[in-house]
Amino acid sequence: MVSPAAVAVYADHSSKISSSLPSTHTMQPGAEPIRVLVTGAAGQIAYSLLYSIAKGDVFGKDQPIILVLLDIPPMLPVLDGVVMELQDCALPLLRDVIPTDKVEVGFKDLDAAILVGSMPRKEGMERKDLLKANVAIFKTQGAALDKYAKKTVKVLVVGNPANTNCLIAAKSAPSIPKENFSCLTRLDHNRARSQVAMRVGVPSDSVKNVIIWGNHSSTQYPDVHHAKVNNHGKEVAAFDAVKDDSWLKGDFISTVQQRGAAVIKARKLSSAMSAAKAICDHMRDIWFGTPEGEFVSMGVYSSGNSYGVPDDLIYSFPVMIKNKTWKVVDGLEINDFSRGKMDATAAELVDERDTAISFLGV
């Protein structure tokens, strides 16, 4: 998370700490390193995330990495400590670590950008003020992507409000395809999957094809009408495996919707370990594709969808991924119960978008 100063900082600050890791490695010659940016890099989500990326859990066990860590100037001393720890892990895939607060350094020649940093909502802050602050941050970061990153860069927005922040970044980077931008709803997806698995008494990987529709907010719709559960070797519909329709249409949905708040109430901190795991899952699926017959949830550009969701939103859909390209899963039957919830979360996103866009020219 970043402070209010971030709005100006992302645009203006120009100091840099440079740091290199030893160049000795065990990789085959010819494997070119990819450049991966993490923003909000001194924060707790990044602290849970960076080791997994640097170890090869996301982009592959034979893919060298240059990690670029962006944060605001007051966090640079903390970031230096993170760099020291990454060095001390002695990870053979990690070729370089570049901590910086300069967008021209942070966004240069990127293959992947994971935008974790955003303005958190403070007590007493109006929603429109939160949107305005984040529009400033993500307009700047989108413009930096447009100017400095590779046109093939894959951009994942994590910082909240993630869907609308992602939309603003995409609109601010007109030379990068909008399909290259996505926001994180995989944490919600994983929460839904785990809730069903615990209810049935099976491992979480025995549950597939849950869906998160819409916004990464409490209006999201966790949908298991198309989910399957492998229950002792037999694949059955989730409703048949759970055998409790009122739970699936009631407490299950509210538990997933409110899970982030429940973690904050218990830990006094927002989800970090589970968020980092979801980021890894999301980016790994973009890089390597989804398993045959399975789909995952991602916030992606809505234009042209077949589910009646308004165009020009970043909305979470079920997607399949192949060759680093996502495709919304079409043809799923939507009942009246689902339709109402999908429309409600879309309405919230339209309202967020319209408010945010009103700030774009400011």
Side-chain angles (χ1 to χ4, degrees):
M1 296 298 181
V2 299
S3 74
V7 176
V9 162
Y10 276 125
D12 300 330
H13 265 275
S14 60
S15 66
K16 181 197 171 190
I17 302 171
S18 65
S19 165
S20 292
L21 293 178
S23 59
T24 54
H25 57 83
T26 57
M27 297 306 306
Q28 295 302 312
E32 280 295 311
I34 59 171
R35 290 177 75 95
V36 179
L37 167 68
V38 177
T39 72
Q44 61 154 357
I45 291 175
Y47 193 76
S48 291
L49 171 67
L50 292 170
Y51 174 72
S52 294
I53 294 174
K55 186 161 72 77
D57 289 350
V58 179
F59 298 102
K61 299 295 185 188
D62 57 356
Q63 177 58 66
I65 300 245
I66 295 169
L67 265 180
V68 187
L69 309 180
L70 181 72
D71 218 310
I72 57 174
M75 300 308 295
L76 289 179
V78 176
L79 209 49
D80 223 17
V82 175
V83 172
M84 285 188 255
E85 284 210 68
L86 284 165
Q87 291 171 336
D88 296 348
C89 288
L91 297 163
L93 290 173
L94 189 56
R95 298 304 168 75
D96 200 1
V97 184
I98 304 167
T100 186
D101 62 359
K102 290 173 63 178
V103 293
E104 59 267 36
V105 175
F107 287 86
K108 185 174 173 55
D109 296 334
L110 294 180
D111 296 281
I114 302 169
L115 308 184
V116 179
S118 68
M119 172 80 73
R121 189 168 190 166
K122 299 287 172 59
E123 200 171 342
M125 183 184 267
E126 291 290 330
R127 192 162 145 272
K128 69 177 189 304
D129 295 329
L130 178 72
L131 279 166
K132 187 173 186 177
N134 278 296
V135 164
I137 294 170
F138 285 87
K139 179 182 178 182
T140 299
Q141 294 192 349
L145 284 162
D146 198 58
K147 186 172 181 180
Y148 300 113
K150 292 180 180 177
K151 301 310 175 190
T152 53
V153 64
K154 301 297 185 184
V155 183
L156 168 58
V157 176
V158 179
N160 288 317
N163 298 59
T164 300
N165 288 345
C166 184
L167 184 68
I168 295 302
K171 285 181 176 295
S172 303
S175 70
I176 296 171
K178 285 190 169 49
E179 293 74 26
N180 289 24
F181 288 82
S182 57
C183 83
L184 189 74
T185 57
R186 185 59 169 267
L187 177 52
D188 309 302
H189 180 100
N190 287 349
R191 287 165 171 164
R193 192 178 189 184
S194 178
Q195 288 294 316
V196 171
M198 288 190 296
R199 190 78 173 190
V200 178
V202 296
S204 59
D205 64 355
S206 294
V207 180
K208 68 178 185 182
N209 297 353
V210 302
I211 301 168
I212 304 297
W213 298 99
N215 201 0
H216 175 63
S217 75
S218 59
T219 69
Q220 65 175 264
Y221 171 41
D223 177 12
V224 293
H225 285 93
H226 309 282
K228 304 287 186 192
V229 178
N230 187 322
N231 198 355
H232 306 297
K234 185 182 178 188
E235 191 169 89
V236 296
F239 272 82
D240 295 334
V242 171
K243 298 185 176 71
D244 188 341
D245 290 15
S246 62
W247 180 77
L248 282 172
K249 290 185 171 185
D251 286 352
F252 161 72
I253 292 173
S254 58
T255 296
V256 176
Q257 288 173 331
Q258 303 291 339
R259 189 68 158 189
V263 170
I264 290 172
K265 187 176 179 184
R267 274 193 86 224
K268 310 297 183 265
L269 292 166
S270 59
S271 304
M273 176 171 50
S274 54
K277 163 63 164 55
I279 292 165
C280 291
D281 290 346
H282 180 117
M283 291 304 290
R284 187 172 53 246
D285 283 347
I286 286 178
W287 235 248
F288 296 106
T290 47
E292 193 67 35
E294 290 191 34
F295 46 79
V296 295
S297 304
M298 283 171 40
V300 295
Y301 205 59
S302 65
S303 294
N305 75 88
S306 63
Y307 290 106
V309 173
D311 287 348
D312 200 33
L313 298 174
I314 297 289
Y315 186 100
S316 183
F317 289 98
V319 300
M320 290 180 168
I321 305 166
K322 191 174 183 180
N323 300 325
K324 294 186 182 172
T325 303
W326 56 263
K327 185 178 185 304
V328 172
V329 177
D330 285 324
L332 298 175
E333 192 176 323
I334 305 298
N335 62 22
D336 290 344
F337 178 84
S338 294
R339 181 81 263 160
K341 294 191 174 302
M342 290 166 66
D343 289 349
T345 192
E348 181 182 58
L349 280 169
V350 168
D351 181 51
E352 272 188 27
R353 175 198 66 196
D354 293 348
T355 304
I357 285 175
S358 73
F359 296 131
L360 257 185
V362 174

